Amino acid sequence: MLHLLKARLKHGYQAIPDPLTVGIDPAFPGLPELARDADLTLLNELCPTQAFTPQGLDLGRCIFCGLCSRKYPEMITFTPNYKMAADSREKLIMAPGQTALPKIDFILPRKFRYSFALRSVSAAGCNACEMELGASNNVNFDISRYGVETVASPRHADGLILTGPISRNMADALAETWQAIPEPKYLILCGACALSGGLFAESEASDRAFLKHWQACLYIPGCPAHPLSIISAIVSIMKGS
Amino acid sequence: MSIGILILLIALIPALWKRSDFFVILWILGSAFLAYEYMEVLYSRSVQDFILMMPEPVGSVSIALNKLSAFFGVIFSLGLPLGMFYGHFYLKEHPSESLGSHLFWLGVMGLSMHCLLWVRHSLIFLMFWELMSLSSFFCVLFSKRENLEAGLNYLITMQLGAVFLIAGFALAYIQSGTFDFSGFEKMNSLPMYLILIGFAFKAGVFPFASWLPQAHPVAPAHVSGIMSSMLVKTGFYGILLIISINHISLLEIGIFCLVFSISAFWAVCHLLNERNLKRVLAYSTVENVGIAGLGVCAGLLGLQANLPNMAMLGFTGAFLHIFFHSIFKAQLFYSSGNILLATGTLDIDEMGALAKGMPRTALMTLVGIMAICALPLTSGFISEFTIFKAMFEVPDAVHLSQILPGLMILGVLAFIGALAIIAFIRIYAIVFLGSPRSPAAENARELGRGIRLPIAVLSLAILITGILPNVALRFVKPLIRWFGLDMAYFAELQSLMSQISYVYLILLALFALLYIIRKLVVKEKRGATWACAYPKVRPRMQSSSITYVQPLAYFLKPFMYKKTRRLKEEGDFTSKVEYDEQHLDAVWDIIVRPLSRAIFKFLSLFSHIHNGKTESYITWSLAFLVLLLIWVVGFR
Amino acid sequence: MINILCIIFFPLVFMGLIHRVKAIMVGRKGKSLWQNQRDFIKLLQKGEVLSVNATAITRIAPVLSLAATLTAALFVPFLSTRTLLCFRGDFILVIYLLTLSKGIMALAAMDSGSSFQGMGTSRELSFTAFLEPAFFLIIAALIISVGAGSLSAIFALQNLVSGGIWNVFASLFIAIALYIILLVESCRVPFDDPATHLELTMIHEVMVLDYSGFSLALIHYTGALKIFIYASLISHLIIPAGSFFGWYLLILAGVYIFTGVLESLMARFRMNRNLELVLVPLSIAMLTLTVLLVINMGAW
């Protein structure tokens, strides 16, 4: 036991004081900014997930690989802005010249202002988003300081946070988990795979019918979504940005 | 004589003509009269007696009721008609050729139970005792061949007990010169022990209680209920009779404590493993008799240690427990009868979710289960509370030798109580809750109103005596006064009980408040049970009766006697194994059975004597005569 | 009265103390002190989902459990010697009310027919099988030492400073036994891990796996109240009744802080080891009883 205490003293206080305003390494691929004259078709040919729509870059499909910004740095750069969430799929499209995402209008009811329980479902992804979700609960990022916790049983949860592209095998399990959550409940999609299928969008093994029935209230892009993105997104729907 | 007993005698007539409705009506009438007489004796007159002159050697038989008999008499006269009433409806579902004789023997059994309480003459008492054993044997049998083994086991065990009783009464007669019970004061210890052992056979005290778990499952539900709640109490009545007359020394109190503790503990350990619903209830009867016996021990300890408070509390607790146990045990047995009729099985691993099909029976059984676990709001708690309170008076004693048995009883009682709670929660949960484990359970439906009525009446009685315990205390009061125990403390106990009633009022008010708030605020929805979204959830995935006990089995393994056999293995890489696990009864299967087998083996050595040939029989007789001659002549 | 205020407000706040301690021990920012209160208020406003197998017991159990625990709490002294309800021998009623609350929750846990809940119920009930005799023997030991009749009187008179050296020994050991009972009843490390999210390793949490919304709020509150009752009894063993309220709060907080530290430094023990450890309060009770008997008696 003494060695545990010694280790603790050596670690010191590792929590980030304020995850909502902390700076991040400038190399971090956060919110992309398109130049006004960016050639979207050219960029789309490069893109592994064809994330460039005629309106702009769809953050829901972007896997932040950086191929486009390395080839055409004058057309697109990834800024280290980790606040990338939106409350509808359309708002995730970054038009050329846009420097920030529109504000999140959706706010959870008042009762969830200080306490929000999430049930995480991992629907056949690569597990990177799950690891980042787990990291947001760790000593550094610590989302529990805002009253958000991950619970074991969907009956105890207020919302379901989905990661992964939803395969055929996971479709029923996901639907059952969603049915088991009591009202009022909210669906949060985290990561490119959850938002659009990501790299697995055209796979025959995927079954995204669940998302046609149920509307999510929060979309967090990223591949994987950074813990700071997750934290700022969830806190902004709890308390309002 | 008593009008009630006359009416009960007359009730035997419609019984023989298979008119169970008249039988029940006459029983209710007769019991009402008897109850009135018993209450009168209990509350006003001290004794009601007359002397019957019989030819020698029987002599003068005194027919009298004292308060102890009257107390038990009230229990009998309230419980027996309910049992007959339930039996009437139960037997309608189980039509049988021998209905007439079954009803006849039921009537005789009830009658002999009542008559036992009136006589104070050893021989006549024995006569009614034997009549009771015999008639209950026939009731258990119910003309079914498969009941024969258990029934005979019961009969022979009872006869064994009767042997002890006869020996004890005979010695008492020799020592005191009279058959009357008043002569028992002059007994010394040997006849007292013999008589106590004889009564212990009937009361279901370790190690004489193995007949209970064998006879109860096979008997029809009303017979099991009557036997467990009242027949067993006649044994306890006998024990109390001896205790009220004789002085018990500290050593004997210690032995009683030990015997009753072992009895209750042994019963609970067996209780935890059983799958047959009625066997569980039978073992529970043994356990509850043990608890009542511990209450009596506490009372005796109090008398011995000169702690009037403890004595009063101990005896009150014991009497209350006897009274309440007959109520909730009968209720549980009748519920098990309902379950048997609804599902066709008594194996709890075939049941599940019966509360969906039989909601009212489930609710009433819940009350019974709460009572047997001694949870608050029910009468079981009141009697256990009194006995526990008696134990807590023990630190006032002066000598260590008086405190130690009291503390030992305290620990044992608490432990047994906790184990009983686990056992009965297991029973209720596996039978009534969850999802159905077999088609029989799924199709179980509520039975008629008539067959539910006795259970409802008993449940109401449990709740009333549980929430307003002073009702029961007033009933026990004359008996306590007769025993010579301290009445001032009894008044204190009564005020304590009314305080408990106020606490219950607060509890129920809080419950009602919170429940109403919940009803107004919560919007409910139904969904599948959360099983981690596993797609193929089957009812057999629920806890079964064995898995529930598994953590406890870590400790209690030495006390849980299991015989397991692997029956079949096929091939080198075993693909199919059949596995059989049986739970044995400690006394019966481990001591008695092997002993009897050894005796048979020994006797079979002489089997060649029985060869059927007349010539060898003549040879044996000749050899015997020669030996006799040598013995008689040679020793001159 | 102060008692009612204590019962209503303190339990959840002190639970927050455990979380703060665990957070400090680990080095994270952690949940705030009021987080349990906030969770409670949020849960009260949520709807519920009931299993298709569930009967009325599922609705009744959390309410009855809370009502029973509240009624039991009315007997427990929270520093003042006068409790709302009190009579000779009330400790029997208190422990049976707590047993009622646990028993009815165990029944309701089996109601949904989930295999997890049966497993959790059997484990939890097996642990508490050994605690009842321990508690009764503890009370018997205290009665021998103090001679009073009711729960509040016993705990008012017995404490570290009231008697001789043996009294210190008795109080301390009984406090340890009560603390172990606290750990088992409220399902904290090393008997059960309240933070584990794996159903197969839960014991108490798995019993409430199927509960949601209002009922879940009541269940959390009942758990917090139970810890508070035991912690209050322990504090009474350490300081005399009638002393400054601040000392009482300090010792109470100390119990919770110690629990938090214990949880941070230990893991949950293996199930078999737990079953063995559950005998410890019983052995402590018997040891203390023997010592007190020998001291107070002397003659056989």
Side-chain angles (χ1 to χ4, degrees):
Chain A
M1 215 162 278
L2 277 178
H3 66 271
L4 285 170
L5 289 170
K6 268 202 289 199
R8 167 69 185 89
L9 286 170
K10 215 157 48 148
H11 286 162
Y13 187 66
Q14 293 190 338
I16 297 175
D18 187 2
L20 297 174
T21 55
V22 70
I24 200 171
D25 191 316
F28 173 71
L31 195 67
E33 275 182 20
L34 287 167
R36 270 188 210 280
D37 55 349
D39 185 353
L40 295 173
T41 3
L42 200 60
L43 292 170
N44 207 18
E45 282 165 23
L46 273 179
C47 184
T49 51
Q50 331 260 267
F52 289 91
T53 67
Q55 287 82 36
L57 171 57
D58 183 0
L59 283 177
R61 290 212 217 129
C62 179
I63 61 170
F64 296 82
C65 59
L67 259 174
C68 49
S69 71
R70 278 197 289 278
K71 196 87 191 274
Y72 301 104
E74 68 284 1
M75 289 199 219
I76 180 168
T77 49
F78 284 92
T79 64
N81 181 2
Y82 50 77
K83 298 201 202 221
M84 287 193 280
D87 53 4
S88 75
R89 197 69 177 76
E90 296 72 39
K91 289 193 190 165
L92 278 177
I93 303 184
M94 288 289 283
Q98 201 176 340
T99 49
L101 281 178
K103 205 165 77 83
I104 296 182
D105 293 319
F106 176 76
I107 301 188
L108 290 172
R110 238 203 105 91
K111 50 183 173 261
F112 298 114
R113 203 180 145 102
Y114 293 108
S115 162
F116 190 50
L118 287 174
R119 211 300 178 167
S120 120
V121 174
S122 162
C126 70
N127 278 350
C129 286
E130 285 82 350
M131 283 203 273
E132 299 290 21
L133 205 54
S136 45
N137 258 323
N138 71 9
V139 179
N140 299 103
F141 298 106
D142 203 10
I143 201 176
S144 65
R145 71 181 97 186
Y146 298 108
V148 179
E149 62 168 342
T150 312
V151 288
S153 168
R155 296 258 204 271
H156 302 174
D158 307 315
L160 191 149
I161 187 158
L162 180 63
T163 51
I166 314 181
S167 64
R168 236 190 345 254
N169 291 339
M170 273 306 283
D172 286 330
L174 176 61
E176 262 196 57
T177 313
W178 178 250
Q179 294 300 335
I181 303 183
E183 301 284 342
K185 54 189 173 188
Y186 302 95
L187 181 59
I188 299 177
L189 301 180
C190 176
C193 292
L195 292 171
S196 65
L199 285 168
F200 311 102
E202 291 127 28
S203 163
E204 321 163 329
S206 74
D207 178 0
R208 294 175 63 84
F210 177 78
L211 291 175
K212 295 201 183 57
H213 289 296
W214 301 101
Q215 170 88 0
C217 72
L218 185 63
Y219 299 80
I220 309 177
C223 185
H226 194 273
L228 292 172
S229 309
I230 298 174
I231 296 179
S232 65
I234 297 182
V235 171
S236 59
I237 60 168
M238 280 168 73
K239 299 206 208 297
S241 36
Chain B
M1 257 314 242
S2 157
I3 310 179
I5 296 209
L6 268 171
I7 300 186
L8 293 185
L9 265 170
I10 300 177
L12 293 174
I13 301 179
L16 285 169
W17 261 256
K18 302 198 186 183
R19 296 305 307 267
S20 57
D21 36 10
F22 283 126
F23 177 69
V24 173
I25 293 176
L26 280 172
W27 252 95
I28 296 179
L29 202 61
S31 299
F33 276 104
L34 272 176
Y36 174 71
E37 287 180 37
Y38 287 129
M39 291 281 206
E40 233 190 284
V41 172
L42 205 54
Y43 285 111
S44 46
R45 297 182 281 167
S46 57
V47 277
Q48 173 203 69
D49 61 354
F50 63 94
I51 312 271
L52 198 63
M53 292 305 293
M54 305 264 285
E56 288 296 325
V58 177
S60 64
V61 176
S62 81
I63 311 271
L65 277 179
N66 63 8
K67 304 263 185 176
L68 187 64
S69 325
F71 176 75
F72 278 91
V74 175
I75 297 179
F76 290 171
S77 55
L78 291 175
L80 278 169
L82 271 171
M84 306 298 180
F85 187 83
Y86 181 80
H88 165 69
F89 286 101
Y90 185 83
L91 290 168
K92 273 212 278 217
E93 310 278 339
H94 271 245
S96 158
E97 290 283 304
S98 56
L99 182 65
S101 69
H102 180 76
L103 286 175
F104 176 75
W105 289 116
L106 258 182
V108 170
M109 176 170 80
L111 202 56
S112 50
M113 278 203 275
H114 277 292
C115 292
L116 264 184
L117 301 173
W118 289 74
V119 297
R120 311 206 69 73
H121 186 280
S122 324
L123 286 182
I124 309 292
F125 184 86
L126 270 175
M127 181 186 93
F128 281 120
W129 188 263
E130 287 293 318
L131 196 60
M132 188 174 69
S133 301
L134 195 66
S135 52
S136 51
F137 163 68
F138 282 119
C139 291
V140 166
L141 214 47
F142 194 39
S143 303
K144 284 198 200 156
R145 225 176 145 103
E146 53 268 19
N147 292 2
L148 193 61
E149 181 181 338
L152 278 179
N153 178 352
Y154 168 57
L155 187 65
I156 295 175
T157 317
M158 288 298 107
Q159 296 307 89
L160 202 57
V163 163
F164 280 97
L165 270 183
I166 295 173
F169 283 150
L171 270 176
Y173 172 67
I174 292 175
Q175 282 176 3
S176 65
T178 162
F179 280 119
D180 200 84
F181 280 0
S182 55
F184 286 177
E185 291 163 23
K186 305 198 204 76
M187 284 195 300
N188 60 12
S189 28
L190 183 61
M192 185 175 82
Y193 290 156
L194 286 172
I195 297 179
L196 279 174
I197 293 179
F199 282 127
F201 267 90
K202 191 65 145 210
V205 179
F206 178 88
F208 311 120
S210 302
W211 60 270
L212 267 162
Q214 299 202 14
H216 282 267
V218 299
H222 57 286
V223 173
S224 307
I226 293 178
M227 274 175 65
S228 232
S229 60
M230 282 165 271
L231 209 70
V232 161
K233 299 305 183 319
T234 55
F236 211 80
Y237 162 69
I239 295 178
L240 280 173
L241 202 64
I242 301 295
I243 289 180
S244 66
I245 298 180
N246 293 67
H247 170 71
I248 314 278
S249 71
L250 188 61
L251 182 64
E252 288 165 355
I253 298 179
I255 297 180
F256 288 166
C257 286
L258 203 65
V259 166
F260 281 122
S261 311
I262 295 179
S263 174
F265 182 66
W266 168 84
V268 171
C269 287
H270 282 107
L271 178 46
L272 284 166
N273 286 319
E274 287 295 334
R275 281 172 62 155
N276 184 319
L277 193 55
K278 281 207 192 143
R279 266 179 92 99
V280 168
L281 294 174
Y283 277 118
S284 158
T285 303
V286 178
E287 178 217 338
N288 278 295
V289 164
I291 294 179
L294 285 176
V296 168
C297 287
L300 287 172
L301 206 60
L303 284 175
Q304 225 271 345
N306 215 357
L307 292 167
N309 208 1
M310 180 174 177
M312 187 275 298
L313 284 170
F315 279 112
T316 313
F319 294 140
L320 282 175
H321 199 75
I322 294 172
F323 180 38
F324 293 149
H325 176 246
S326 45
I327 300 180
F328 58 70
K329 191 40 71 63
Q331 194 247 31
L332 282 173
F333 265 112
Y334 301 155
S335 304
S336 74
N338 275 16
I339 293 175
L340 179 61
L341 287 176
T343 58
T345 171
L346 279 175
D347 184 0
I348 59 177
D349 272 333
E350 303 279 328
M351 303 185 198
L354 286 186
K356 294 276 175 176
M358 310 167 67
R360 292 202 185 84
T361 306
L363 183 65
M364 296 192 286
T365 316
L366 181 64
V367 175
I369 296 274
M370 279 175 69
I372 210 169
C373 293
L375 291 176
L377 289 179
T378 58
S379 48
F381 172 70
I382 301 294
S383 51
E384 288 233 12
F385 175 82
T386 319
I387 300 181
F388 271 121
K389 198 152 184 332
M391 302 304 172
F392 280 109
E393 304 291 336
V394 91
D396 290 335
V398 175
H399 293 301
L400 202 61
S401 59
Q402 292 160 342
I403 297 186
L404 279 178
L407 290 175
M408 182 192 95
I409 300 179
L410 181 63
V412 166
L413 215 52
F415 187 48
I416 291 173
L419 288 179
I421 294 180
I422 297 178
F424 281 100
I425 287 184
R426 159 186 179 253
I427 297 290
Y428 190 78
I430 295 181
V431 170
F432 285 104
L433 306 174
S435 50
R437 292 179 178 81
S438 73
E442 213 168 327
N443 298 329
R445 290 288 167 263
E446 195 71 82
L447 297 162
R449 258 199 289 184
I451 207 171
R452 284 197 324 243
L453 186 62
I455 307 182
V457 167
L458 288 170
S459 311
L460 207 62
I462 294 176
L463 284 174
I464 291 181
T465 47
I467 301 183
L468 300 167
N470 276 320
V471 169
L473 273 183
R474 244 183 302 161
F475 171 51
V476 171
K477 189 167 177 177
L479 193 55
I480 300 290
R481 194 183 288 127
W482 178 77
F483 253 82
L485 300 167
D486 197 309
M487 292 313 289
Y489 287 126
F490 192 81
E492 242 185 69
L493 183 67
Q494 281 185 300
S495 69
L496 203 92
M497 291 296 179
S498 49
Q499 280 190 301
I500 294 185
S501 300
Y502 287 136
V503 175
Y504 285 156
L505 203 64
I506 297 179
L507 174 65
L508 290 171
L510 275 172
F511 173 71
L513 183 69
L514 287 169
Y515 196 72
I516 291 175
I517 293 179
R518 181 186 184 280
K519 216 106 203 180
L520 293 173
V521 164
V522 172
K523 292 183 269 285
E524 275 179 21
K525 210 174 63 141
R526 289 272 175 173
T529 308
W530 176 245
C532 246
Y534 184 69
K536 291 192 170 63
V537 177
R538 296 276 173 270
R540 293 203 74 79
M541 287 179 186
Q542 298 169 87
S543 276
S544 76
S545 57
I546 306 177
T547 61
Y548 203 81
V549 192
Q550 198 223 12
L552 263 183
Y554 180 76
F555 278 116
L556 298 178
K557 223 196 307 231
F559 303 112
M560 296 183 177
Y561 306 96
K562 279 203 281 224
K563 188 166 79 169
T564 59
R565 283 182 304 165
R566 298 176 77 133
L567 291 177
K568 218 195 302 181
E569 286 187 42
E570 296 173 10
D572 289 323
F573 294 99
T574 312
S575 57
K576 180 171 161 180
V577 179
E578 279 187 34
Y579 181 82
D580 175 75
E581 188 178 74
Q582 282 177 0
H583 290 280
L584 311 174
D585 183 289
V587 172
W588 183 251
D589 291 306
I590 296 183
I591 302 180
V592 176
R593 265 250 147 98
L595 203 64
S596 63
R597 250 176 286 179
I599 293 179
F600 270 123
K601 236 184 166 155
F602 174 68
L603 290 178
S604 68
L605 290 174
F606 300 103
S607 62
H608 65 273
I609 298 182
H610 289 274
N611 48 20
K613 299 198 195 122
T614 323
E615 304 90 58
S616 38
Y617 290 161
I618 296 179
T619 318
W620 299 128
S621 317
L622 199 61
F624 174 70
L625 278 173
V626 166
L627 279 172
L628 195 60
L629 223 59
I630 295 177
W631 182 56
V632 167
V633 169
F635 282 176
R636 286 264 179 234
Chain C
M1 272 191 77
I2 265 192
N3 281 5
I4 300 193
L5 287 174
C6 279
I7 296 176
I8 298 183
F9 292 119
F10 282 178
L12 288 171
V13 173
F14 274 95
M15 287 287 281
L17 197 57
I18 299 185
H19 292 134
R20 292 301 311 151
V21 170
K22 279 166 78 169
I24 295 174
M25 288 291 297
V26 175
R28 59 161 81 216
K29 195 86 192 302
K31 299 200 236 188
S32 98
L33 203 61
W34 314 104
Q35 189 58 37
N36 284 74
Q37 291 271 30
R38 291 173 178 162
D39 287 340
F40 177 71
I41 295 175
K42 172 202 78 173
L43 280 172
L44 282 178
Q45 303 172 48
K46 278 197 64 126
E48 288 196 30
V49 178
L50 257 57
S51 157
V52 286
N53 291 333
T55 60
I57 286 193
T58 308
R59 293 195 193 96
I60 293 178
V63 180
L64 186 59
S65 164
L66 181 60
T69 315
L70 274 174
T71 318
L74 292 176
F75 287 93
V76 175
F78 297 108
L79 192 65
S80 57
T81 45
R82 290 176 47 220
T83 52
L84 286 170
L85 296 171
C86 160
F87 50 82
R88 270 187 73 101
D90 58 5
F91 41 84
I92 306 174
L93 186 59
V94 167
I95 194 164
Y96 266 101
L97 280 171
L98 291 175
T99 310
L100 173 66
S101 112
K102 186 195 295 280
I104 201 88
M105 280 306 299
L107 263 182
M110 305 282 283
D111 196 14
S112 56
S114 138
S115 41
F116 296 125
Q117 298 191 302
M119 171 199 83
T121 317
S122 70
R123 284 178 183 172
E124 167 138 355
L125 287 179
S126 313
F127 286 172
T128 58
F130 292 99
L131 294 182
E132 281 204 23
F135 193 85
F136 277 121
L137 286 177
I138 287 177
I139 301 277
L142 288 174
I143 290 185
I144 290 180
S145 158
V146 167
S150 68
L151 194 68
S152 46
I154 294 174
F155 280 95
L157 293 172
Q158 168 79 20
N159 52 64
L160 267 184
V161 298
S162 69
I165 181 75
W166 289 112
N167 213 5
V168 174
F169 165 82
S171 300
L172 218 54
F173 266 69
I174 292 183
I176 294 176
L178 266 183
Y179 183 67
I180 298 181
I181 294 182
L182 183 160
L183 287 180
V184 179
E185 291 265 342
S186 54
C187 309
R188 306 216 73 92
V189 173
F191 295 96
D192 178 18
D193 194 349
T196 179
H197 293 305
L198 304 169
E199 285 93 340
L200 280 175
T201 56
M202 295 184 200
I203 299 177
H204 179 71
E205 290 295 310
V206 76
M207 270 173 41
V208 302
L209 217 54
D210 228 42
Y211 278 104
S212 42
F214 191 82
S215 303
L216 189 62
L218 295 183
I219 293 171
H220 281 168
Y221 185 69
T222 312
L225 191 56
K226 254 199 264 194
I227 304 188
F228 193 66
I229 290 177
Y230 283 111
S232 184
L233 289 178
I234 294 177
S235 345
H236 272 276
L237 281 174
I238 301 188
I239 53 166
S243 39
F244 176 49
F245 197 69
W247 285 121
Y248 170 69
L249 281 180
L250 207 67
I251 308 252
L252 213 54
V255 171
Y256 282 92
I257 291 175
F258 185 70
T259 312
V261 170
L262 207 64
E263 260 188 51
S264 314
L265 293 178
M266 287 172 101
R268 201 201 69 183
F269 286 151
R270 233 182 80 197
M271 205 53 67
N272 288 347
R273 183 99 190 275
N274 267 346
L275 286 170
E276 292 162 14
L277 278 182
V278 143
L279 281 177
V280 171
L282 190 58
S283 9
I284 293 183
M286 289 202 281
L287 180 68
T288 323
L289 204 57
T290 320
V291 167
L292 283 172
L293 275 177
V294 168
I295 298 293
N296 289 5
M297 292 290 124
W300 174 258

